[in-house]
Amino acid sequence: MSGAAAVLKASSGNAGGRSTRYEANAATREPAWVKWSILGVSLTFFAVFLLMPLVAVFVEAFRKGWDTYLAALIEPDALSAIKLTLIAALISVPLNLVFGVAAAWSITKFDFPGKHLLITFIDLPFSVSPVVAGLIYVLVFGAQGWFGPWLSDHDVKIIFAVPGIVLATVFVTFPFVARELIPLMEAQGKDEEEAAVVLGARGWQTFWHVTLPNVKWGLLYGVILCNARAMGEFGAVSVVSGHIRGLTNTMPLHVEILYNEYQFAAAFAVASVLALLALVTLAVKVWVEKRAGAAGAREE
Amino acid sequence: MASRSNRVLPGFGLSLGYTLVYLSLIVLIPLAAVFVKSSSLGFEQFWNVVTAPTVVASYKLSFGASLLAASINAVFGLMLAWALVRYSFPGKRLVDALVDLPFALPTAVAGIALTALYAPNGWVGQHLEPLGIKVAFTPLGVLVALIFIGLPFVVRTVQPILEDLDTEYEEAAVSLGANRWQAFRHVVFPTLMPALLTGFAMAFARAVGEYGSVIFIAGNIPMVSEITPLMIITKLEQYDYAGATAIAVVMLVFSFTLLLAINGLQAWTAKRTGRER
């Protein structure tokens, strides 16, 4: 593909340039009053329902000044909550990353019966209420659950302990990486991998040198989303945690406890750290999309 | 046989085997536990739990507020998607990026932020209070939280379809004498319809199961502002595992039905627009 065409493609990926095209075309242009009404209504809706809650988190967090803010974050219970949140994310994200890659490889590179059913099953955790997600592990590992008596005989604690929190986190973040990878690898096809294998590459070499470079941005985005959800999960973790201060509280649970104790500034201080994480996640998303768009334009 | 040529690539057995084992251990077997546990209740007992007055009141709130929130999001989400695709305005990239905020922001954070805004002394609440409108700690608060978490589903399913929509169709409509509204109503909207319905269904499904962003603003007044997921939590806190499980079964059956509907809708979108889903 010629350089000029690539530039064209890249500039058509530019959101600003495209909308000017719609507005310059008489067939796709609305009367000015319609345009301004749609813009006014939709942006007001956006500001009221999305922007204001975000701004409120930071304003409330700093309401009592920097000292209170910092004190809320370095207090021992907050630190242990941060630590537990990091542990849960550090275990669940790699597990679901490996699963996502394996699932995407088997689904996109091979044909087998029941593929669509498998994809639907992978999506299941997205459609299950977080509260139900927590409940299922209580039913399996809790005191009255399937393995409850065996676990208590062997002095293993899963529910109301860290393993339960990790399990619930793994469940709610289960589909993220697979969901990002499957459509990407489907679109890439398997010609390049087959060529590599025919030329003598071994399985892992093919994956590292052919598949991975093609999907790295999507993979990164899946991991980032997975991580954001892992650190922010509330409902599922709340069911299995038992809310033991300093032991089984993650950051979102710590926010809840502070809030219910009317320590609003402290609750919002911890919440602001999570909100910052969300903003970083969104920034990475924009960046990844830009890189993926640029890479796509180069290839064609 | 077609699959012979597919097996040029290695790792089929390993990757599929790992996928199935991991899926079964983390998702399928624990989910099955809910159904097994609920069968330990007799049918009559099960029925009594899931039709108790407080539980029925919670269905009405959860399903009603979710349906309303998804409808509101369908209308305003479509407008926002339209604005993002068709118009240029300052700060557009920022708006586009922040639409995903409810996906990335932990639900508990959203919950306390919305409560702070809509409480009687909050930024918004203090202006609504004199008008006699109470949002926080009423069913209206539940609605606000569900609008927050559902919005990106609609915008992000409609937006790509709108971006891919060729302007030729609208040009043809105009050259055939249609005015702008007719072109939208009869040409653009039918193409967007399956995606809009998909977004609506996804927002609805998510809203019904939502917990974190709702419980702070809901106030959790029995028979008035208790959502169904909270009923499960309440039963668990009373060590009524069978009762919690029975309500979970109702929610799961509902989620699975909706999941099937969404899959059907996505297939319809793909057919209507020729897009891969």
Side-chain angles (χ1 to χ4, degrees):
Chain A
M1 190 170 173
S2 73
V7 170
L8 246 180
K9 164 103 185 173
S11 72
S12 82
N14 169 330
R18 248 189 311 191
S19 10
T20 346
R21 200 190 55 181
Y22 289 118
E23 287 175 71
N25 186 339
T28 52
R29 184 176 54 207
E30 287 83 38
W33 70 268
V34 175
K35 175 188 163 179
W36 290 112
S37 313
I38 293 177
L39 272 179
V41 171
S42 63
L43 291 180
T44 307
F45 189 79
F46 167 84
V48 169
F49 283 97
L50 294 193
L51 205 55
M52 263 185 8
L54 180 67
V55 175
V57 172
F58 291 99
V59 172
E60 295 289 331
F62 289 106
R63 178 154 290 199
K64 293 196 177 155
W66 264 102
D67 293 338
T68 319
Y69 183 83
L70 282 180
L73 293 183
I74 55 170
E75 174 245 335
D77 285 345
L79 286 180
S80 76
I82 293 171
K83 200 174 120 198
L84 183 55
T85 293
L86 290 177
I87 291 173
L90 273 176
I91 298 174
S92 57
V93 174
L95 278 177
N96 286 333
L97 169 64
V98 172
F99 162 74
V101 170
W105 182 263
S106 63
I107 286 170
T108 61
K109 304 297 174 191
F110 304 95
D111 285 319
F112 55 90
K115 199 190 260 196
H116 280 288
L117 189 66
L118 179 59
I119 296 177
T120 308
F121 277 154
I122 290 173
D123 273 348
L124 271 184
F126 276 165
S127 49
V128 171
S129 172
V131 170
V132 177
L135 172 72
I136 61 178
Y137 290 106
V138 173
L139 294 179
V140 175
F141 298 109
Q144 302 186 14
W146 287 350
F147 301 114
W150 187 91
L151 288 170
S152 67
D153 285 348
H154 292 77
D155 214 18
V156 181
K157 245 179 125 45
I158 292 186
I159 300 305
F160 304 144
V162 176
I165 290 173
V166 172
L167 271 173
T169 309
V170 169
F171 182 93
V172 293
T173 57
F174 184 86
F176 279 101
V177 178
R179 220 53 200 107
E180 283 301 313
L181 277 186
I182 290 170
L184 256 183
M185 283 169 63
E186 191 83 61
Q188 302 275 357
K190 49 194 171 197
D191 295 351
E192 290 180 39
E193 281 87 357
E194 284 174 352
V197 169
V198 168
L199 290 170
R202 275 176 295 129
W204 285 113
Q205 288 178 314
T206 310
F207 177 75
W208 276 111
H209 298 291
V210 180
T211 310
L212 200 57
N214 277 336
V215 299
K216 59 183 178 215
W217 300 119
L219 188 69
L220 179 64
Y221 181 47
V223 167
I224 295 286
L225 265 185
C226 186
N227 178 65
R229 181 70 194 267
M231 291 189 168
E233 177 52 28
F234 177 72
V237 169
S238 159
V239 172
V240 296
S241 130
H243 305 271
I244 306 163
R245 256 196 145 144
L247 280 179
T248 63
N249 267 339
T250 60
M251 285 169 79
L253 297 177
H254 189 59
V255 169
E256 183 199 20
I257 289 187
L258 292 172
Y259 190 85
N260 288 341
E261 287 174 350
Y262 302 102
Q263 301 188 43
F264 294 130
F268 278 101
V270 180
S272 73
V273 176
L274 289 167
L276 212 58
L277 173 77
L279 289 178
V280 170
T281 304
L282 294 183
V284 171
K285 186 197 170 197
V286 171
W287 182 71
V288 162
E289 276 174 352
K290 220 168 154 183
R291 294 299 299 255
R298 258 201 315 278
E299 251 164 52
E300 277 176 50
Chain B
M1 203 173 123
S3 60
R4 273 261 48 99
S5 66
N6 292 328
R7 303 289 160 82
V8 171
L9 295 176
F12 177 64
L14 178 68
S15 61
L16 186 63
Y18 182 77
T19 302
L20 292 177
V21 169
Y22 187 75
L23 175 72
S24 306
L25 286 179
I26 299 289
V27 179
L28 299 182
I29 296 173
L31 274 178
V34 174
F35 293 94
V36 174
K37 177 82 184 179
S38 73
S39 67
S40 70
L41 283 170
F43 179 78
E44 202 173 326
Q45 240 182 321
F46 177 88
W47 190 250
N48 287 341
V49 172
V50 299
T51 57
T54 47
V55 180
V56 171
S58 83
Y59 299 146
K60 282 185 189 154
L61 175 65
S62 274
F63 289 86
S66 301
L67 210 55
L68 197 56
S71 311
I72 291 171
N73 278 330
V75 175
F76 292 95
L78 175 62
M79 289 172 86
L80 191 55
W82 188 273
L84 286 171
V85 175
R86 293 287 171 112
Y87 306 136
S88 46
F89 52 89
K92 177 166 154 173
R93 276 155 195 270
L94 193 67
V95 173
D96 195 15
L98 282 178
V99 165
D100 281 330
L101 183 72
F103 286 158
L105 193 70
T107 52
V109 176
I112 62 169
L114 289 168
T115 313
L117 286 175
Y118 290 95
N121 58 352
W123 296 355
V124 183
Q126 60 180 325
H127 299 294
L128 295 176
E129 182 90 345
L131 305 173
I133 305 170
K134 281 194 166 67
V135 178
F137 320 124
T138 71
L140 204 56
V142 176
L143 181 68
V144 168
L146 295 181
I147 291 173
F148 173 83
I149 54 136
L151 182 65
F153 289 97
V154 175
V155 178
R156 292 304 187 220
T157 47
V158 172
Q159 196 179 11
I161 307 290
L162 197 53
E163 270 168 3
D164 279 6
L165 185 71
D166 212 317
T167 54
E168 275 175 22
Y169 300 109
E170 285 160 83
E171 284 158 12
V174 169
S175 71
L176 290 171
N179 64 32
R180 189 73 191 115
W181 168 248
Q182 287 169 322
F184 175 78
R185 172 71 189 79
H186 298 290
V187 177
V188 179
F189 190 71
T191 320
L192 298 181
M193 188 60 183
L196 190 61
L197 269 179
T198 309
F200 169 83
M202 287 171 147
F204 180 46
R206 170 71 200 266
V208 169
E210 179 58 21
Y211 177 70
S213 59
V214 177
I215 50 149
F216 294 99
I217 199 170
N220 309 326
I221 305 153
M223 303 293 289
V224 176
S225 61
E226 277 186 331
I227 54 169
T228 308
L230 181 72
M231 302 308 298
I232 297 179
I233 299 269
T234 314
K235 298 259 181 223
L236 275 178
E237 280 170 356
Q238 297 160 352
Y239 301 102
D240 179 5
Y241 291 92
T245 310
I247 301 171
V249 166
V250 173
M251 292 199 70
L252 278 177
V253 168
F254 173 78
S255 321
F256 293 165
T257 315
L258 216 55
L259 184 66
L260 282 180
I262 292 170
N263 275 352
L265 282 169
Q266 281 175 331
W268 185 27
T269 315
K271 216 171 119 189
R272 183 66 72 87
T273 59
R275 272 177 71 95
E276 289 288 319
R277 51 174 165 138

